[in-house]
Amino acid sequence: MSGIIFHHYPNSPFSEKVRLLFGYKKLPWKSVIIPSIMPKPGLTALTGGYRRTPVMQIGADIYCDTSLICDVLENIAPTPTIYPTENEGISRTLAQWADTTLFWTMIAYVFQPVSIPHLLGNVTPEQMKAFSADRAAMRGNAPRMSVPEATGTLTAYLGRLENMLVDGKLYLLGQQATIADFSVYHSVWFIQRAQPVAGILDATPALKEWAARMAAFGHHEFEKMNAEEALQVAHDSKSVAGSDAAFVDTHGVALGDRVAIMPTDYALDPVEGDLIVSTATEFAVRREDSQAGTVVVHFPRIGFQLKKV
């Protein structure tokens, strides 16, 4: 099996979720730094237009969305697990809440003028304008909380998380880290980076101790790789995605049909290809690219929609 290639940028919250999982599972990886805004030519050649960050590549298989990426990493390195049998359902449910509701509340809170330099660096007005335009294109017509609303809501959410860490619990659901911890952590990590407004965490000392415990997992060992090298790996590799998985059709399609897959909430950029996987948990399409060759792009079912082209 080809090694893990991770396409990300340093201050991406969802990327930090996966980087920390590399540390937890002690998985070596290769780091490809991508632009934080479009265009992303090297990544687009692999994904066919998917614009969210991060993306994981293993040979000619391209994995989109961290919920799927985490599942793939669990299959590669089952120990230590992030899905303990006794609480897999609640850990996945809490993780989904954290990746959506908590994340967007946190984003509305931290992106205040005073904290933007800490999150984006000393960007020029032109760069800030480009970043704002890119994120506006991603969000489309999705509503966004005002700072006062986000402050009140985030305070309540952080209090609930603090309450989950009582009675000597090391992690949110007990003495073992689960996917819920990694999904909650990336929002707390981003709050900590927004230093002028990070004081909101002072009311939750147990949560701050938990965050330090999570951060200690680190990112494990990685090597730098450039986009051209990653494209060459894809071009020289063959997908391991097979047709042996149980076919699940909820869209009136068949394997081999030309389809478009896109998120259900924001960044609605469709990725077109020939459907080769449609299971209870995953979609995947095969596509051709002049630089990447034949690649298979994978998506989770939850949070994504499929349409026949």
Side-chain angles (χ1 to χ4, degrees):
M1 181 184 69
S2 175
I4 295 168
I5 302 173
F6 193 56
H7 300 259
H8 65 122
Y9 57 88
N11 63 342
S12 159
F14 280 97
S15 295
E16 182 64 11
K17 171 185 174 181
V18 178
R19 292 188 295 248
L20 204 65
L21 191 54
F22 292 145
Y24 181 66
K25 290 184 173 289
K26 293 182 169 49
L27 287 167
W29 53 289
K30 292 182 171 60
S31 169
V32 178
I33 299 300
I34 63 174
S36 61
I37 63 174
M38 297 296 277
K40 305 176 184 181
L43 189 63
T44 299
L46 291 171
T47 66
Y50 180 78
R51 67 187 296 156
R52 294 184 185 182
T53 303
V55 167
M56 186 173 76
Q57 174 188 355
I58 300 178
D61 287 286
I62 316 300
Y63 299 94
C64 301
D65 196 87
T66 60
S67 64
L68 178 59
I69 291 171
C70 290
D71 283 352
V72 173
L73 294 179
E74 179 78 358
N75 289 333
I76 293 172
T79 304
T81 184
I82 54 172
Y83 304 112
T85 303
E86 65 274 16
N87 58 20
E88 180 177 357
I90 187 61
S91 67
R92 286 185 181 274
T93 300
L94 181 56
Q96 186 178 7
W97 167 82
D99 285 343
T100 53
T101 303
L102 177 63
F103 172 77
W104 285 115
T105 304
M106 177 275 297
I107 288 295
Y109 172 76
V110 299
F111 273 99
Q112 302 181 42
V114 68
S115 59
I116 286 176
H118 296 265
L119 298 174
L120 302 182
N122 295 316
V123 296
T124 66
E126 291 77 16
Q127 290 171 325
M128 187 64 223
K129 184 177 180 180
F131 180 85
S132 298
D134 180 82
R135 292 307 187 264
M138 285 184 69
R139 288 184 59 84
N141 295 322
R144 181 170 177 173
M145 284 186 182
S146 67
V147 171
E149 290 167 343
T151 302
T153 303
L154 184 59
T155 299
Y157 288 159
L158 295 175
R160 294 176 185 179
L161 294 167
E162 175 83 358
N163 185 254
M164 297 179 71
L165 293 164
V166 298
D167 301 327
K169 287 166 62 177
L170 294 178
Y171 301 101
L172 295 174
L173 297 177
Q175 302 308 108
Q176 179 179 355
T178 72
I179 185 59
D181 293 279
F182 291 90
S183 289
V184 169
Y185 175 78
H186 72 78
S187 280
V188 175
W189 172 82
F190 208 54
I191 295 170
Q192 291 174 325
R193 292 175 70 87
Q195 294 177 15
V197 299
I200 195 171
L201 294 168
D202 292 343
T204 54
L207 190 64
K208 291 178 71 173
E209 291 177 5
W210 163 87
R213 196 175 301 122
M214 292 293 294
F217 291 137
H219 298 162
H220 197 52
E221 302 168 356
F222 66 92
E223 300 175 0
K224 294 180 180 179
M225 175 181 275
N226 62 44
E228 291 74 20
E229 291 172 319
L231 284 169
Q232 192 63 49
V233 168
H235 189 276
D236 294 344
S237 301
K238 183 177 180 180
S239 169
V240 299
S243 57
D244 53 341
F247 178 62
V248 176
D249 174 31
T250 57
H251 295 75
V253 295
L255 295 181
D257 283 351
R258 189 75 177 176
V259 299
I261 299 175
M262 70 188 79
T264 57
D265 47 7
Y266 72 99
L268 305 180
D269 302 83
V271 174
E272 292 190 14
D274 299 326
L275 184 67
I276 67 164
V277 174
S278 179
T279 69
T281 59
E282 180 186 350
F283 296 124
V285 295
R286 181 187 292 115
R287 53 179 307 275
E288 303 288 338
D289 182 86
S290 59
Q291 298 179 78
T294 303
V295 295
V296 173
V297 190
H298 302 252
F299 303 88
R301 264 191 183 256
I302 294 178
F304 285 79
Q305 55 187 314
L306 179 150
K307 296 181 179 179
K308 192 171 181 178
V309 176

